[in-house]
Each structure stands twice: as structure tokens, then as C-alpha cells.
Amino acid sequence: IEVSETTKNAIETGKYNEEDMENRKEQIDKLTNYSRRAAIRTGKRSAKTPLLYSIITQLSLICHGYVYLYLYAAKKKYKTRKRVKTITEEISNMLRIYYEAFYNKDMNKLNDIGKQKIILQENNIKLLEQSKGTETVVLTYLWEITRQIHMCTPPSIGYLL
């Protein structure tokens, strides 16, 4: 969630710290590798270990999506427009809902993420059709992040059952 908020704020203000984001990516990668190893080590006999491994991997991919979006936007000195700002906030909110639903074991909210993904991607398509250049690339990153958040829900539901 922190990386999503940092990225959202940076593209809203146009203020970037690429070195800080590179360091965050390294820390995320280390944490991901540690978490995967811990899941395998402690859950060798659990049927849920592959689901947990998948959740960890998907969360890492979401973080990477935000990192790559941030670094691309920094390179292009991108500052978002209002219409992109709205969808960026909605995607960050979707990630927060996923986080809360997972830790609160709220299956209804996890199921709602699929509906939310459809709405966000329909909005994203409309924006993509009107966009040019750097904004098109930013929206494409946001599309992929939305998809990755949604991809976390099936293994999460299986893990929580």
C-alpha cells in the first residue's frame, strides 16, 4: 500500500525520488524472497502453501507495477491530469480494500474486487481511447496493476477457506 500511495502522490505532484524508489524495490524483492522461503519451509505439508506462495508472488508483481510506473513517470517528468488522478486513486483504494478484506477474512469484499476491476478497466479503456503519448503508457501500467490486484483474489479466497 505504501508503494501505491507514494506512486500516486508522485504522479499527482510531479515530484519524484528515483533513488528512494529503487531502494524500496530492492527491499520489496528481499522481503518477497524471504516470505516465499518461509512459506515453503513452514508449510511443506500444508495444501495451502501453494496458495500463499501465489499471493506473495502476486503482491510482489503489484509492487513492481507501481515501481515501474513510478520510474517511467519520473523519467518523463509526468504530472497527472484530473481524469487519470481519479482512476489512480480508485486503484489505490482497490488495493486497500483487498488488504483489509484479506486480513479481516471478508469473502464478500474479496468477491467485490472482481466487480470493481471490471468497472475500473471500463473507465481505463475510455481514458486510453482519449490519451496520447506518456499518458497512454501510464494508463497501461494502471491497467496491469488493476489486473494484478484482481489476480490476488482467487488464491486469497482459497487460502482463507
Side-chain angles (χ1 to χ4, degrees):
I1 292 176
E2 182 182 334
V3 174
S4 77
E5 291 298 320
T6 300
T7 302
K8 180 177 73 74
N9 292 336
I11 65 174
E12 286 175 9
T13 62
K15 296 177 182 172
Y16 298 92
N17 183 340
E18 295 167 82
E19 185 178 332
D20 178 60
M21 188 55 78
E22 290 284 357
N23 289 335
R24 287 181 191 216
K25 182 185 178 300
E26 286 179 31
Q27 293 304 313
I28 290 164
D29 290 344
K30 288 177 185 177
L31 180 60
T32 299
N33 289 334
Y34 172 78
S35 299
R36 286 175 178 159
R37 285 192 313 272
I40 290 169
R41 227 179 287 128
T42 59
K44 286 185 179 178
R45 294 192 175 106
S46 172
K48 292 188 176 191
T49 300
L51 296 171
L52 182 58
Y53 190 92
S54 177
I55 293 166
I56 293 166
T57 300
Q58 288 300 132
L59 291 172
S60 175
L61 292 172
I62 293 167
C63 287
H64 284 168
Y66 275 113
V67 167
Y68 298 138
L69 168 57
Y70 182 101
L71 295 174
Y72 174 79
K75 180 177 144 187
K76 296 293 185 175
K77 297 176 179 40
Y78 177 77
K79 187 174 178 183
T80 190
R81 296 182 186 171
K82 184 178 180 179
R83 60 191 189 158
V84 177
K85 178 182 177 185
T86 301
I87 198 163
T88 304
E89 289 171 351
E90 290 171 350
I91 294 167
S92 288
N93 188 48
M94 181 182 176
L95 181 58
R96 187 173 304 286
I97 290 169
Y98 167 79
Y99 175 85
E100 291 170 2
F102 181 81
Y103 285 103
N104 293 326
K105 300 178 182 178
D106 188 334
M107 298 295 191
N108 291 327
K109 281 188 179 178
L110 284 172
N111 283 327
D112 288 345
I113 295 221
K115 296 173 195 166
Q116 192 174 6
K117 175 202 147 247
I118 292 168
I119 293 167
L120 285 171
Q121 288 192 329
E122 286 173 357
N123 292 341
N124 196 313
I125 287 171
K126 290 174 189 171
L127 293 173
L128 277 165
E129 290 172 342
Q130 301 166 5
S131 69
K132 294 180 183 176
T134 301
E135 188 172 86
T136 302
V137 177
V138 168
L139 288 166
T140 303
Y141 274 111
L142 292 171
W143 173 286
E144 179 60 14
I145 291 166
T146 303
R147 191 184 73 76
Q148 291 293 346
I149 295 169
H150 176 254
M151 293 301 295
C152 276
T153 57
S156 297
I157 291 169
Y159 184 77
L160 295 174
L161 288 177

